[in-house]
């Protein structure tokens, strides 16, 4: 027997945007469907009421994540994004608010206790403050860290870093030591070249020679019959094969030319006789 479940495998967005925007009323600044997701931007001070309505009246039971986004060119450069999930309908919705460096966002720890940790993350990495959070402290960076990493405004060198020393059993301050300085790239195409001169490229700027040396005839190269003859005389004078050498008069004659030499005594037989069988009739 097939069992029907209230949560479909693939939830449809049909009619959801209009329903939620109407339920939130004047709290909504903008609402749209983008990349298959429902995105609703609400007023900053009304975020707690808007999320309570979505949780209690539209079955978005779980607050899955809180994320921060930084747009430095905007007046309110930060966006706080809340991602809600409806377990009974298998549907998600994203709710956004905007703020700046100094204006706090109301906390939603009154709705979901796990929001405390997530708000601490956004505060630590972006510097967004949450009014009403009972424990708004850094959660990822070290003690005494100045600045917020996701703003990309923290110092790279020339400052101090903190670490826990096992030897001294306390947090110690040490100058920052980078294995490699921050490199500045010009982002130019390698085919276009850079504005600065690389080592070795200064040779390419050498002006051409006014009168280049050419070797159009053998006289310009120093080659020719006269040069070859002079080189041959030099080699012949120093070559040992060309020098006359005296041959010793008492040198022995080669053994092949001494028929008077007696034969060597030994037990070896003649090769052909040694390889022939003794009884040829038996072999036949």
């Amino acid at each position: 027997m097939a069992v029907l479940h209230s949560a479909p495998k693939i939830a449809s967005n049909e009619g959801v945007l209009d329903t939620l925007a109407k339920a939130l009323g004047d709290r909504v600044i903008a609402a749209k469907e983008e990349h298959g997701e429902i995105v609703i931007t609400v007023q900053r001070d009304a975020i707690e009421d808007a999320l309570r309505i979505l949780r209690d009246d539209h079955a978005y039971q779980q607050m899955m994540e809180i994320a921060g986004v930084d747009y430095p060119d905007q007046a309110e450069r930060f966006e706080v994004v809340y991602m809600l999930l409806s377990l009974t309908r298998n549907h998600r919705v994203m709710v956004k608010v905007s703020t700046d460096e100094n204006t706090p966002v109301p906390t939603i720890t009154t709705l979901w206790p796990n929001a405390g940790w997530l708000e601490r993350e956004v505060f630590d990495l972006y510097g967004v403050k949450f009014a009403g959070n009972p424990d708004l402290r850094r959660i990822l960076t070290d003690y005494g860290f100045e600045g917020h990493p996701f703003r990309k405004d923290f110092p790279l060198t020339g400052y101090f870093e903190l670490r826990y020393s096992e030897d001294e059993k306390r947090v110690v301050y040490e100058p920052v030591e980078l294995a490699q300085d921050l490199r500045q790239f010009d982002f130019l195409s390698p085919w276009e070249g850079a504005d600065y001169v690389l080592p070795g490229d200064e040779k390419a700027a050498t002006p051409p020679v006014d009168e280049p040396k050419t070797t159009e005839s053998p006289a310009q190269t120093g080659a020719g019959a006269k040069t070859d003859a002079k080189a041959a005389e030099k080699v012949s004078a120093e070559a040992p094969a060309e020098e006359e050498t005296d041959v010793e008069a008492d040198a022995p004659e080669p053994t092949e030319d001494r028929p008077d030499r007696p034969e060597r005594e030994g037990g070896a037989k003649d090769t052909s006789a040694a390889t022939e069988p003794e009884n040829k009739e038996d072999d036949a």
Side-chain angles (χ1 to χ4, degrees), residues 140-158:
L140 296 176
T141 55
D142 206 344
Y143 308 107
F145 188 91
E146 296 182 4
H148 304 277
F150 281 9
R151 287 189 187 183
K152 305 296 188 295
D153 58 359
F154 54 93
L156 293 177
T157 184

Side-chain angles (χ1 to χ4, degrees), residues 186-194:
D186 50 27
F187 297 105
L188 293 178
S189 170
W191 291 273
E192 297 174 358

Side-chain angles (χ1 to χ4, degrees), residues 52-193:
R52 180 181 286 108
I53 293 173
L54 295 176
R55 184 192 67 175
D56 298 343
D57 299 342
H58 296 274
Y60 287 94
Q61 301 94 346
Q62 289 193 358
M63 195 278 300
M64 304 299 297
E65 182 63 89
I66 300 178
V69 187
D70 186 8
Y71 298 99
D73 297 334
Q74 298 181 4
E76 292 186 341
R77 59 182 294 185
F78 300 113
E79 281 188 354
V80 182
V81 184
Y82 303 86
M83 306 175 190
L84 307 182
L85 171 64
S86 173
L87 297 176
T88 55
R89 298 191 307 169
N90 190 22
H91 193 268
R92 295 175 183 266
V93 64
M94 298 173 60
V95 183
K96 296 182 178 182
V97 297
S98 299
T99 187
D100 54 22
E101 296 91 332
N102 301 318
T103 307
V105 177
T107 183
I108 63 168
T109 53
T110 55
L111 303 177
W112 289 283
N114 67 317
W117 285 74
L118 301 175
E119 290 176 353
R120 287 178 62 182
E121 277 189 334
V122 178
F123 164 72
D124 192 3
L125 299 179
Y126 291 95
V128 177
K129 299 179 178 65
F130 292 89
N133 188 304
D135 189 19
L136 194 62
R137 295 176 296 143
R138 292 187 180 271
I139 193 172
L140 296 176
T141 55
D142 206 344
Y143 308 107
F145 188 91
E146 296 182 4
H148 304 277
F150 281 9
R151 287 189 187 183
K152 305 296 188 295
D153 58 359
F154 54 93
L156 293 177
T157 184
Y159 291 81
F160 291 91
E161 63 181 357
L162 295 87
R163 67 175 181 87
Y164 182 79
S165 175
E166 289 290 345
D167 299 333
E168 302 182 19
K169 302 299 180 183
R170 65 181 181 88
V171 177
V172 297
Y173 291 76
E174 295 176 341
V176 175
E177 295 182 2
L178 299 179
Q180 175 177 296
D181 293 336
L182 179 66
R183 295 182 294 175
Q184 301 292 342
F185 296 94
D186 50 27
F187 297 105
L188 293 178
S189 170
W191 291 273
E192 297 174 358

